[in-house]
Amino acid sequence: MHISEGVLSAPVLFGGGLFSAVGVAVGLKKMKDQDIPKTAIVSAALFVASLIHVPIGPTSIHLLLNGIAGIMLGWQVFPAVLIALFLQSILFQFGGITALGVNTLNVALPAIIAHQFFKIYDLNNSRVFLGTVAFFSGALAVFLTAVMVAVSLFFTNQSFLEIAKLTIISHVPVIIIEGIISVFVVFAIEKIKPIILEELDKK
Amino acid sequence: MILETKIKKLVIFISLVAIFLSFSLPVFAHRVILYAYVEGNKIIAEGAFGDGSPAKDAEIMVYNKQGELLAEAKTNENGICEIEIPKKTDLEIKMNAGMGHQAEYALSESKLPEINNKDAAASTSKAEVSYNNLSEEKLREVVAEELDKKLTPIKKSIIESNQDSGPGLTEIIGGIGYIFGLMGVASYFKKGKK
C-alpha cells in the first residue's frame, strides 16, 4: 500500500516508523546466512508486484503479495518490504518517503500474521489442506493490510467506517487473486523447494 | 552441494521471471497526479493515477497560502473538475483520491486572470456596447474567450506531455538490481563475521 506524502499526521508517521524499525531490527537479527538470497528474491518480487494493476474496483489497486512473502520469510519480511517500498518510493514515486514506516508496517505486519496462520499446516496434512491454508494466508494478509490502511487513515479527519468500507471493498478482488496466487506459489514451493515448508514445520 | 545448485537454479529462474514480467506487462503506476490550469474565470483541475486512468469522485480542495480552505469540489467521471476562482492569490490545490492517495498542485497568482476587474469590465462594456458595437473592452473579452477555447486542447496536450507514463523499464530493472546488490552486501558482511 502506498499512502502518499502529507496525508497522515505526525504521531501516526512516528508510530509507524518506530514499529517498522523494531520489525526490521528483529528481522535482521534473526536472519541467517542462507536466508539472505531468499529475502532478496522476495523483496524483488514485492517490488515488481505493485506494478501489476488490478483493473477492477473504484480506485487504483495492485497486487501486494505480502501473504506469500510472509509465508516464505517470517520476520525477514520486514527488511524485504522496507527495501521494496523504499525503492518504489524513490524510483516510481509510489507513496511518500515520510510514510515509509507506516507503509512498511501496513504490509509487513499482516505478512507475519499470515506466516503464523500458515503454520497450522504440517507436513502430514493433505495437499488440499495445504492449498486451503495457502489461500487463506494470502487472502488474510491483504485483508489485514486493507484494515491497517484504514486504521492509519482513521487518524486523519475522515470517519473510520467509511474508509474501512472503501479500502476493504476495493481490495476484495485483490484478496481473492492473492489467495489464488498463494495456492499456486505454495504448490510450486512444495515441488521445487520443499525445504522451505520443512523448515516452517520445524519452527 | 545439491542444495546449493538448487538454490542457484531457483535464483536464476525467479530473476528471469521477474525480468520477463517487467517486459511483458504494460507498465502501470500507482501514483496520483493532479494538474490544474485556468480557463476563463475557472480553474480546471484534472486528477489521474499514474497509469492515466482518471481519479473519479476525488475531492478537490483549494487552499490559499495560509492554508485556509477557499473552495471544494469533486471530480467527474473523467477526473476533471471545474472550480470558480475564489480569489486572486497564490493557490494550493489538493486532491484526495481516497485510501491515502493525495496529490497537490500550486497555481501562482500570476497565472490567474483579474477576476474582480472582469465584472466591472463586463458592466462597462455593456454600457459601451449600446452606442458602439465594438468597444475595446468587449473586443478584448471576446478575443480572450475565443483564445481560451482554441487553446484548451493545446493546454491539455502540454499537460499530458508533462505527465510521465509511469515507471519505465530502467527503473524496474534498476530497482531489482539494487535489491540484488544489497543481497550481495548483506552476504558479504554476514560471511565476514564468521
Side-chain angles (χ1 to χ4, degrees):
Chain A
M1 265 331 279
H2 304 104
I3 297 179
S4 311
E5 206 88 59
V7 175
L8 300 172
S9 57
V12 183
L13 294 176
F14 278 119
L18 197 72
F19 279 115
S20 286
V22 172
V24 171
V26 174
L28 290 178
K29 192 111 207 226
K30 285 192 171 184
M31 186 155 69
K32 288 179 234 115
D33 280 2
Q34 66 264 33
D35 292 335
I36 294 173
K38 197 170 70 176
T39 311
I41 291 167
V42 173
S43 185
L46 290 169
F47 172 74
V48 185
S50 291
L51 295 171
I52 304 173
H53 179 92
V54 181
I56 322 167
T59 32
S60 180
I61 43 174
H62 53 77
L63 293 187
L64 288 167
L65 293 188
N66 58 341
I68 196 70
I71 292 172
M72 287 178 72
L73 294 184
W75 277 98
Q76 276 87 54
V77 78
F78 263 101
V81 168
L82 178 73
I83 291 167
L85 287 182
F86 175 72
L87 287 171
Q88 282 173 352
S89 171
I90 56 168
L91 293 174
F92 305 163
Q93 283 91 49
F94 287 8
I97 287 276
T98 52
L100 193 60
V102 178
N103 287 337
T104 304
L105 188 70
N106 286 351
V107 175
L109 194 64
I112 303 251
I113 295 170
H115 177 84
Q116 296 301 333
F117 176 79
F118 188 77
K119 278 189 181 168
I120 61 173
Y121 164 78
D122 68 68
L123 290 176
N124 307 322
N125 291 131
S126 68
R127 275 195 100 204
V128 179
F129 187 71
L130 174 67
T132 319
V133 173
F135 180 86
F136 282 107
S137 312
L140 178 76
V142 180
F143 173 74
L144 288 176
T145 297
V147 172
M148 286 188 65
V149 169
V151 171
S152 322
L153 291 171
F154 166 58
F155 294 98
T156 59
N157 44 16
Q158 287 160 291
S159 79
F160 174 69
L161 273 178
E162 206 177 293
I163 302 169
K165 250 192 254 164
L166 180 67
T167 44
I168 292 166
I169 290 172
S170 63
H171 275 86
V172 166
V174 183
I175 291 175
I176 295 166
I177 292 168
E178 296 241 343
I180 296 167
I181 290 176
S182 298
V183 176
F184 280 111
V185 174
V186 167
F187 280 161
I189 289 174
E190 195 200 18
K191 268 196 188 139
I192 305 169
K193 226 172 133 34
I195 191 162
I196 293 181
L197 298 182
E198 284 159 27
E199 273 176 3
L200 266 180
D201 196 29
K202 261 184 263 164
K203 273 179 203 169
Chain B
M1 286 312 103
I2 299 165
L3 186 69
E4 242 171 51
T5 50
K6 262 193 177 176
I7 290 179
K8 257 186 208 163
K9 269 186 192 162
L10 190 74
V11 170
I12 292 166
F13 172 72
I14 294 187
S15 331
L16 283 178
V17 168
I19 291 166
F20 174 74
L21 271 181
S22 51
F23 270 109
S24 60
L25 280 170
V27 180
F28 288 114
H30 192 60
R31 186 163 46 133
V32 246
I33 309 162
L34 175 68
Y35 280 98
Y37 54 90
V38 177
E39 204 182 288
N41 56 349
K42 277 180 187 157
I43 299 170
I44 313 287
E46 275 196 65
F49 292 104
D51 60 351
S53 63
K56 297 171 196 170
D57 279 328
E59 287 170 38
I60 303 268
M61 290 148 291
V62 182
Y63 294 93
N64 63 10
K65 268 273 141 23
Q66 285 75 43
E68 290 168 56
L69 184 68
L70 298 178
E72 252 183 308
K74 274 200 165 185
T75 56
N76 64 10
E77 270 157 50
N78 301 318
I80 300 172
C81 116
E82 295 180 9
I83 313 161
E84 295 262 341
I85 297 173
K87 218 178 185 183
K88 187 172 162 58
T89 170
D90 286 337
L91 295 177
E92 190 79 35
I93 301 166
K94 276 190 186 175
M95 179 179 72
N96 184 352
M99 296 200 298
H101 298 128
Q102 187 167 304
E104 285 174 33
Y105 193 84
L107 263 186
S108 61
E109 190 177 348
S110 56
K111 284 186 188 160
L112 300 175
E114 295 290 336
I115 25 174
N116 294 336
N117 285 6
K118 207 160 189 182
D119 292 338
S123 60
T124 52
S125 65
K126 256 183 210 160
E128 279 173 72
V129 167
S130 55
Y131 60 86
N132 183 355
N133 266 347
L134 277 176
S135 76
E136 202 189 321
E137 283 294 336
K138 182 73 185 166
L139 198 63
R140 246 179 234 279
E141 209 176 288
V142 172
V143 170
E145 224 169 76
E146 282 303 309
L147 266 181
D148 267 344
K149 261 187 223 161
K150 290 265 152 67
L151 285 177
T152 308
I154 296 175
K155 277 184 194 163
K156 272 194 179 164
S157 72
I158 291 175
I159 285 170
E160 271 160 22
S161 69
N162 280 340
Q163 225 157 315
D164 308 319
S165 53
L169 197 59
T170 344
E171 281 92 352
I172 299 168
I173 303 284
I176 295 170
Y178 273 112
I179 291 169
F180 284 103
L182 282 172
M183 171 180 102
V185 172
S187 340
Y188 180 79
F189 281 103
K190 282 269 181 180
K191 288 256 159 66
K193 266 184 198 165
K194 279 178 187 171

